[in-house]
Short mmCIF file of all heavy atoms in Angstrom, two decimals:
data_model
loop_
_atom_site.label_atom_id
_atom_site.label_comp_id
_atom_site.label_asym_id
_atom_site.label_seq_id
_atom_site.Cartn_x
_atom_site.Cartn_y
_atom_site.Cartn_z
N SER R 1 55.95 100.84 110.39
CA SER R 1 57.01 101.24 111.32
C SER R 1 58.31 101.30 110.54
O SER R 1 58.40 100.84 109.40
CB SER R 1 57.11 100.24 112.47
OG SER R 1 57.61 99.00 112.01
N TRP R 2 59.36 101.86 111.19
CA TRP R 2 60.67 101.90 110.53
C TRP R 2 61.20 100.52 110.25
O TRP R 2 61.80 100.26 109.20
CB TRP R 2 61.66 102.68 111.40
CG TRP R 2 61.40 104.15 111.38
CD1 TRP R 2 60.84 104.88 112.39
CD2 TRP R 2 61.64 105.05 110.32
NE1 TRP R 2 60.71 106.19 112.00
CE2 TRP R 2 61.21 106.32 110.73
CE3 TRP R 2 62.15 104.92 109.04
CZ2 TRP R 2 61.27 107.44 109.91
CZ3 TRP R 2 62.23 106.04 108.23
CH2 TRP R 2 61.81 107.28 108.66
N GLY R 3 60.95 99.57 111.16
CA GLY R 3 61.42 98.22 110.96
C GLY R 3 60.73 97.54 109.78
O GLY R 3 61.38 96.89 108.97
N ASN R 4 59.41 97.72 109.71
CA ASN R 4 58.67 97.13 108.56
C ASN R 4 59.09 97.77 107.25
O ASN R 4 59.19 97.09 106.22
CB ASN R 4 57.17 97.27 108.77
CG ASN R 4 56.63 96.29 109.74
OD1 ASN R 4 57.30 95.34 110.11
ND2 ASN R 4 55.40 96.51 110.19
N ALA R 5 59.35 99.07 107.26
CA ALA R 5 59.79 99.75 106.05
C ALA R 5 61.16 99.22 105.61
O ALA R 5 61.41 98.95 104.42
CB ALA R 5 59.86 101.25 106.26
N ALA R 6 62.07 99.03 106.57
CA ALA R 6 63.40 98.50 106.24
C ALA R 6 63.29 97.08 105.69
O ALA R 6 63.96 96.74 104.69
CB ALA R 6 64.27 98.52 107.49
N LEU R 7 62.46 96.24 106.34
CA LEU R 7 62.26 94.87 105.82
C LEU R 7 61.66 94.89 104.43
O LEU R 7 62.03 94.07 103.58
CB LEU R 7 61.38 94.07 106.79
CG LEU R 7 62.04 93.64 108.09
CD1 LEU R 7 61.02 92.99 109.00
CD2 LEU R 7 63.20 92.70 107.80
N THR R 8 60.73 95.80 104.15
CA THR R 8 60.13 95.91 102.86
C THR R 8 61.20 96.24 101.81
O THR R 8 61.24 95.62 100.73
CB THR R 8 59.02 96.95 102.85
OG1 THR R 8 58.00 96.55 103.77
CG2 THR R 8 58.41 97.12 101.47
N PHE R 9 62.05 97.22 102.11
CA PHE R 9 63.08 97.59 101.13
C PHE R 9 64.11 96.49 100.95
O PHE R 9 64.61 96.26 99.83
CB PHE R 9 63.76 98.91 101.56
CG PHE R 9 62.89 100.11 101.31
CD1 PHE R 9 62.52 100.93 102.34
CD2 PHE R 9 62.41 100.40 100.03
CE1 PHE R 9 61.70 102.05 102.12
CE2 PHE R 9 61.61 101.50 99.79
CZ PHE R 9 61.24 102.33 100.84
N VAL R 10 64.46 95.78 102.00
CA VAL R 10 65.38 94.63 101.88
C VAL R 10 64.77 93.55 101.02
O VAL R 10 65.44 92.99 100.12
CB VAL R 10 65.77 94.10 103.28
CG1 VAL R 10 66.47 92.75 103.17
CG2 VAL R 10 66.65 95.09 104.01
N ALA R 11 63.49 93.25 101.25
CA ALA R 11 62.81 92.23 100.42
C ALA R 11 62.77 92.65 98.96
O ALA R 11 62.99 91.85 98.05
CB ALA R 11 61.40 91.96 100.97
N LEU R 12 62.45 93.92 98.69
CA LEU R 12 62.41 94.41 97.32
C LEU R 12 63.80 94.35 96.68
O LEU R 12 63.92 94.00 95.49
CB LEU R 12 61.89 95.85 97.29
CG LEU R 12 60.39 96.01 97.53
CD1 LEU R 12 60.03 97.49 97.64
CD2 LEU R 12 59.59 95.33 96.43
N ALA R 13 64.85 94.64 97.44
CA ALA R 13 66.20 94.55 96.89
C ALA R 13 66.56 93.10 96.56
O ALA R 13 67.15 92.82 95.49
CB ALA R 13 67.21 95.12 97.90
N ILE R 14 66.20 92.17 97.42
CA ILE R 14 66.47 90.76 97.16
C ILE R 14 65.74 90.29 95.91
O ILE R 14 66.29 89.61 95.05
CB ILE R 14 66.12 89.90 98.39
CG1 ILE R 14 67.12 90.16 99.52
CG2 ILE R 14 66.10 88.41 98.03
CD1 ILE R 14 66.74 89.52 100.85
N VAL R 15 64.48 90.68 95.79
CA VAL R 15 63.70 90.33 94.60
C VAL R 15 64.36 90.92 93.35
O VAL R 15 64.52 90.24 92.33
CB VAL R 15 62.23 90.78 94.73
CG1 VAL R 15 61.50 90.70 93.43
CG2 VAL R 15 61.52 89.96 95.80
N TYR R 16 64.78 92.19 93.43
CA TYR R 16 65.40 92.83 92.28
C TYR R 16 66.71 92.14 91.92
O TYR R 16 66.98 91.88 90.75
CB TYR R 16 65.66 94.30 92.60
CG TYR R 16 66.37 95.03 91.48
CD1 TYR R 16 65.68 95.44 90.35
CD2 TYR R 16 67.73 95.29 91.56
CE1 TYR R 16 66.33 96.10 89.33
CE2 TYR R 16 68.39 95.94 90.54
CZ TYR R 16 67.70 96.36 89.43
OH TYR R 16 68.34 97.00 88.40
N TRP R 17 67.55 91.80 92.90
CA TRP R 17 68.85 91.17 92.64
C TRP R 17 68.73 89.72 92.17
O TRP R 17 69.68 89.19 91.60
CB TRP R 17 69.75 91.23 93.87
CG TRP R 17 70.25 92.60 94.15
CD1 TRP R 17 70.55 93.59 93.25
CD2 TRP R 17 70.53 93.15 95.43
NE1 TRP R 17 70.98 94.70 93.87
CE2 TRP R 17 70.98 94.46 95.25
CE3 TRP R 17 70.43 92.67 96.72
CZ2 TRP R 17 71.35 95.31 96.29
CZ3 TRP R 17 70.79 93.50 97.77
CH2 TRP R 17 71.23 94.79 97.55
N THR R 18 67.59 89.09 92.37
CA THR R 18 67.43 87.71 91.90
C THR R 18 66.58 87.64 90.61
O THR R 18 66.91 86.86 89.72
CB THR R 18 66.79 86.83 92.99
OG1 THR R 18 65.54 87.42 93.39
CG2 THR R 18 67.70 86.67 94.17
N VAL R 19 65.52 88.40 90.54
CA VAL R 19 64.62 88.30 89.39
C VAL R 19 65.25 88.91 88.12
O VAL R 19 65.17 88.30 87.05
CB VAL R 19 63.25 88.92 89.71
CG1 VAL R 19 62.38 89.03 88.46
CG2 VAL R 19 62.56 88.11 90.78
N VAL R 20 65.85 90.08 88.25
CA VAL R 20 66.39 90.73 87.05
C VAL R 20 67.50 89.89 86.42
O VAL R 20 67.47 89.66 85.19
CB VAL R 20 66.87 92.17 87.39
CG1 VAL R 20 67.67 92.77 86.24
CG2 VAL R 20 65.69 93.05 87.74
N PRO R 21 68.47 89.37 87.17
CA PRO R 21 69.48 88.50 86.50
C PRO R 21 68.86 87.22 85.91
O PRO R 21 69.29 86.78 84.84
CB PRO R 21 70.47 88.16 87.62
CG PRO R 21 70.31 89.22 88.63
CD PRO R 21 68.87 89.63 88.55
N PHE R 22 67.87 86.65 86.58
CA PHE R 22 67.23 85.46 86.04
C PHE R 22 66.53 85.78 84.72
O PHE R 22 66.68 85.01 83.76
CB PHE R 22 66.23 84.86 87.03
CG PHE R 22 65.44 83.73 86.42
CD1 PHE R 22 66.05 82.48 86.25
CD2 PHE R 22 64.14 83.91 85.99
CE1 PHE R 22 65.34 81.45 85.67
CE2 PHE R 22 63.45 82.88 85.40
CZ PHE R 22 64.04 81.64 85.25
N VAL R 23 65.78 86.84 84.66
CA VAL R 23 65.07 87.22 83.42
C VAL R 23 66.09 87.50 82.32
O VAL R 23 65.91 87.08 81.17
CB VAL R 23 64.13 88.40 83.68
CG1 VAL R 23 63.60 88.98 82.37
CG2 VAL R 23 62.98 87.97 84.57
N THR R 24 67.17 88.19 82.67
CA THR R 24 68.21 88.45 81.68
C THR R 24 68.81 87.15 81.16
O THR R 24 68.98 86.99 79.95
CB THR R 24 69.31 89.34 82.31
OG1 THR R 24 68.72 90.54 82.79
CG2 THR R 24 70.39 89.67 81.28
N TRP R 25 69.12 86.23 82.06
CA TRP R 25 69.70 84.95 81.65
C TRP R 25 68.72 84.11 80.85
O TRP R 25 69.06 83.55 79.82
CB TRP R 25 70.17 84.16 82.88
CG TRP R 25 70.61 82.78 82.57
CD1 TRP R 25 71.83 82.37 82.12
CD2 TRP R 25 69.80 81.59 82.67
NE1 TRP R 25 71.85 81.02 81.94
CE2 TRP R 25 70.61 80.51 82.28
CE3 TRP R 25 68.50 81.33 83.07
CZ2 TRP R 25 70.15 79.20 82.25
CZ3 TRP R 25 68.05 80.03 83.07
CH2 TRP R 25 68.86 78.99 82.66
#
């Protein structure tokens, strides 16, 4: 559904914003 798709993209954005800086650090 549109809601599940939005939640999926939000979760992927959170993972990207936390994992990439951690790996870089």
Side-chain angles (χ1 to χ4, degrees):
S1 69
W2 287 106
N4 283 347
L7 286 174
T8 299
F9 285 122
V10 167
L12 287 173
I14 290 171
V15 167
Y16 178 78
W17 288 327
T18 56
V19 171
V20 170
F22 173 76
V23 169
T24 302
W25 172 83

